[in-house]
Amino acid sequence: MLKFGDGAPYGTRTRVFAVRGTEIGSSAFIHVPAIIETSAKIVAYVRPCSCSFAMAYWTFIGHKDFTAVARTVQDAKLATREARRKLAIRGKPYFRLLDNGLHLGYRKGKTGGVWLLRQYVGNEAYKFVPIGPTDDNVDADGKVFFDFAQAQKKARELFARRKREEAGLPTEAGPYTVRACLDEYLKWMEGARKSAPDARYRAEALILPVLGGKACADLTAADIEKWRDATAKAPARLRTRRGEKQKFSEQGRDDEAIRRRRASTNRTLTILKAALNRAWRASKIAADDAWRRVEPFEEADAARIRYLTIDEAKRLINAADSDFRLLVRAALATGCRYGELCALKVSDFNPDTGTLHIRTSKSGKGRHVVLAKEGAALFASTAAGRPGDEPMLTKANGSPWLASHQARPMRETCARARIGPPANFHCLRHTYASHTIMNAAPKMKEGGKGQEISAVGPILLVVAKNLGHADTRMVEKHYGHMAPSFIADAIRAAAPRFDVVEPGPIAPFGRAKGSSDG
């Protein structure tokens, strides 16, 4: 096994016969400097020999891996601080070629000098990158102040990092790992999706501790399945203060507890697959079959059917404090998420069209929510006489509703309203959608045949658009069971009728005309 040093001179070769008695072959040529590792794990550092027919020089460096370092370029004018003191002060740096397209520069000032990197970028253009101050006045430490050799090493590191960036590879050398893949994906999500914080939490807490150090090229379906199963069996994590030991909830053993853990694992698996797919489409991973063969848990994402009855919703409104009552009424009137309501401005309500403008939703896209008369009246009274740039919904003291501020008032209000078990704020979104769909069923039967057909088709799509979903899949999944007669009514209303009835030889009991018991 041959490992070549980064700084091997181009075109330099030496004939290698043996290393510590291990035969390599009389015709073996290698570039130097190089490392030879024998089957006996004897590692040797091969140096060039001045005579092409003689044995190569070797140096024993031990029974362990060795990484050859780039050779240090010598320059009498720049190598020492004494030599650099003789140089004239000038704005143009003194350059020394380190590698093809890479120069190390020394710019001398009145009180000292600085090192900089010059990289050729094509079309007779160069890019300059500062490295750090020299050791002209202060002893070098390799971190803040650099001598000539340390500046070369730093220049090569920066040069290699930029080359890897240009090639679309991780900035650090080595295999493309799951950690690097997720880091790139999460950076993209932060500018494109509102769900980025949740994705980052799941990645850092559940994916990276197990799979982060794994090279994507070595990732197998078995690795992912093992991680998936272990994650689903682990207890749910509880909110824990920074620096404290992570807390976990008690692990339930009933079917619902198992379903919830599997559903959570499926969502985390989706993040992992999305990151890997994005890297695969960018040609950073050769094949995608490893994770495509891994299936999520079946029947884990069951529909969340908890919603409040009309009576419960009224009790909740009446039991709420004045500022929280307004927030509850807004949720029940729009079906909006808590974060969407918190972000509303007074100008987002349009009294002319009776709509509410949601500027940014969970999907990252805006939408207009159509309001019923009661909802339009609520927002009209709330927005009356107020500047358009004010938050629409605030607390009694004028401060905004922020993340998780709704949790405690919701629990306390449910207790006063005698709603058990206590509902969370998101339940109000389900309440809006469920009652909207159920209320549409009686309206289908009003009017003639054409009105029946027109009512069946768009209702789920209308609700989906108001809720911010791109299509009806989520609505059908979570709320389709609220109106089970929709399918039957649609078929009965739209199926073709041929008005041809031919009597058969046998009449069903109780329906034959003219029949008698005699």
Side-chain angles (χ1 to χ4, degrees):
M1 174 179 164
L2 299 180
K3 301 180 183 178
F4 298 101
D6 294 336
Y10 294 113
T12 305
R13 297 194 302 172
T14 186
R15 186 183 299 273
V16 178
F17 292 92
V19 177
R20 276 256 164 167
T22 302
E23 187 66 27
I24 302 275
S26 60
S27 61
F29 284 91
I30 62 170
H31 288 76
V32 295
I35 307 244
I36 297 178
E37 183 176 352
T38 71
S39 59
K41 300 299 181 182
I42 303 298
V43 184
Y45 181 52
V46 180
R47 296 175 292 164
C49 176
S50 60
C51 184
S52 62
F53 55 83
M55 293 184 62
Y57 295 106
W58 58 267
T59 303
F60 176 69
I61 58 176
H63 298 263
K64 61 181 181 179
D65 289 338
F66 178 86
T67 302
V69 296
R71 64 187 179 89
T72 301
V73 175
Q74 300 300 321
D75 191 305
K77 294 181 180 180
L78 302 177
T80 64
R81 65 178 69 173
E82 290 76 13
R84 294 193 296 268
R85 288 196 184 102
K86 300 177 182 179
L87 298 176
I89 298 174
R90 69 182 193 183
K92 182 180 179 180
Y94 295 88
F95 285 106
R96 181 66 169 87
L97 176 67
L98 300 183
D99 206 338
N100 186 25
L102 172 63
H103 292 78
L104 175 64
Y106 170 70
R107 177 183 285 125
K108 185 173 181 179
K110 293 182 179 180
T111 59
V114 294
W115 299 112
L116 54 88
L117 175 154
R118 186 177 76 174
Q119 178 183 350
Y120 183 69
V121 294
N123 296 325
E124 299 183 357
Y126 291 88
K127 179 183 293 184
F128 297 88
V129 180
I131 295 176
T134 67
D135 62 339
D136 290 350
N137 303 313
V138 181
D139 290 339
D141 58 7
K143 296 179 180 179
V144 179
F145 299 94
F146 301 86
D147 61 21
F148 186 50
Q150 292 168 344
Q152 291 187 49
K153 180 181 178 182
K154 188 66 176 180
R156 294 182 191 277
E157 291 175 357
L158 294 174
F159 181 72
R161 185 178 292 114
R162 289 183 175 274
K163 284 294 185 181
R164 293 180 68 84
E165 288 178 351
E166 293 172 1
L169 298 173
T171 54
E172 299 299 329
Y176 186 65
T177 62
V178 174
R179 181 180 299 276
C181 176
L182 278 168
D183 285 345
E184 294 177 359
Y185 177 70
L186 293 173
K187 288 179 181 178
W188 169 81
M189 281 200 72
E190 288 171 353
R193 297 288 185 272
K194 289 191 67 176
S195 57
D198 177 71
R200 180 170 291 280
Y201 170 79
R202 290 178 179 274
E204 293 177 350
L206 303 174
I207 302 176
L208 294 179
V210 181
L211 300 176
K214 190 81 173 179
C216 293
D218 299 333
L219 197 63
T220 65
D223 294 331
I224 302 176
E225 289 173 349
K226 182 179 179 180
W227 163 83
R228 178 201 62 189
D229 296 343
T231 303
K233 293 178 181 178
R237 298 164 64 94
L238 297 177
R239 181 175 297 178
T240 307
R241 291 182 178 179
R242 188 182 300 273
E244 295 183 359
K245 185 179 180 180
Q246 178 63 49
K247 299 177 182 179
F248 298 90
S249 65
E250 294 184 3
Q251 181 76 339
R253 299 183 181 276
D254 58 324
D255 292 342
E256 178 60 17
I258 294 174
R259 184 201 67 78
R260 288 182 177 179
R261 293 302 302 140
R262 290 182 173 181
S264 179
T265 301
N266 282 351
R267 291 191 288 272
T268 309
L269 177 62
T270 299
I271 295 170
L272 175 61
K273 284 188 171 184
L276 293 170
N277 279 328
R278 191 169 186 272
W280 172 72
R281 287 192 294 268
S283 301
K284 296 182 180 180
I285 305 177
D288 64 342
D289 58 310
W291 60 90
R292 287 195 179 277
R293 294 201 301 267
V294 179
E295 297 291 337
F297 290 107
E298 296 182 354
E299 300 180 359
D301 301 318
R304 295 170 289 182
I305 61 175
R306 174 75 189 277
Y307 67 96
L308 302 180
T309 64
I310 296 296
D311 181 63
E312 288 175 328
K314 290 180 178 179
R315 297 205 314 265
L316 186 72
I317 293 173
N318 293 332
D321 295 331
S322 58
D323 53 352
F324 189 61
R325 182 185 303 126
L326 183 60
L327 193 64
V328 169
R329 290 183 61 193
L332 291 172
T334 62
C336 290
R337 302 176 179 90
Y338 172 72
E340 295 171 346
L341 295 174
C342 295
L344 284 176
K345 301 291 185 182
V346 172
S347 59
D348 291 331
F349 171 65
N350 188 335
D352 297 328
T353 59
T355 58
L356 201 63
H357 183 202
I358 305 300
R359 298 179 182 273
T360 307
S361 63
K362 183 178 179 180
S363 64
K365 300 179 181 179
R367 71 181 188 278
H368 289 84
V369 176
V370 180
L371 301 172
K373 290 183 178 180
E374 183 176 324
L378 169 67
F379 283 99
S381 62
T382 304
R386 298 173 60 191
D389 58 350
E390 281 190 4
M392 175 72 78
L393 304 170
T394 61
K395 298 180 182 179
N397 59 6
S399 61
W401 291 96
L402 301 177
S404 302
H405 284 191
Q406 85 287 5
R408 178 177 293 180
M410 190 68 185
R411 289 195 303 269
E412 295 173 350
T413 304
C414 285
R416 291 195 295 267
R418 297 182 180 180
I419 297 175
N424 58 24
F425 195 87
H426 200 75
C427 180
L428 305 182
R429 178 174 167 87
H430 300 322
T431 301
Y432 166 84
S434 300
H435 286 290
T436 300
I437 293 174
M438 288 189 292
N439 290 341
K443 295 179 181 179
M444 288 169 47
K445 300 177 182 179
E446 297 176 1
K449 173 182 175 182
Q451 291 177 326
E452 287 184 8
I453 298 174
S454 62
V456 174
I459 182 59
L460 293 182
L461 181 60
V462 169
V463 173
K465 293 298 183 182
N466 245 27
L467 293 176
H469 299 305
D471 50 44
T472 62
R473 288 178 296 176
M474 291 296 292
V475 175
E476 291 171 354
K477 175 181 177 181
H478 294 293
Y479 313 111
H481 63 285
M482 296 299 170
S485 62
F486 269 24
I487 296 177
D489 291 339
I491 293 176
R492 289 167 183 160
R497 294 173 174 80
F498 303 102
D499 298 326
V500 177
V501 179
E502 295 184 1
I506 300 176
F509 285 109
R511 296 189 62 182
K513 294 183 178 181
S515 61
S516 63
D517 297 334

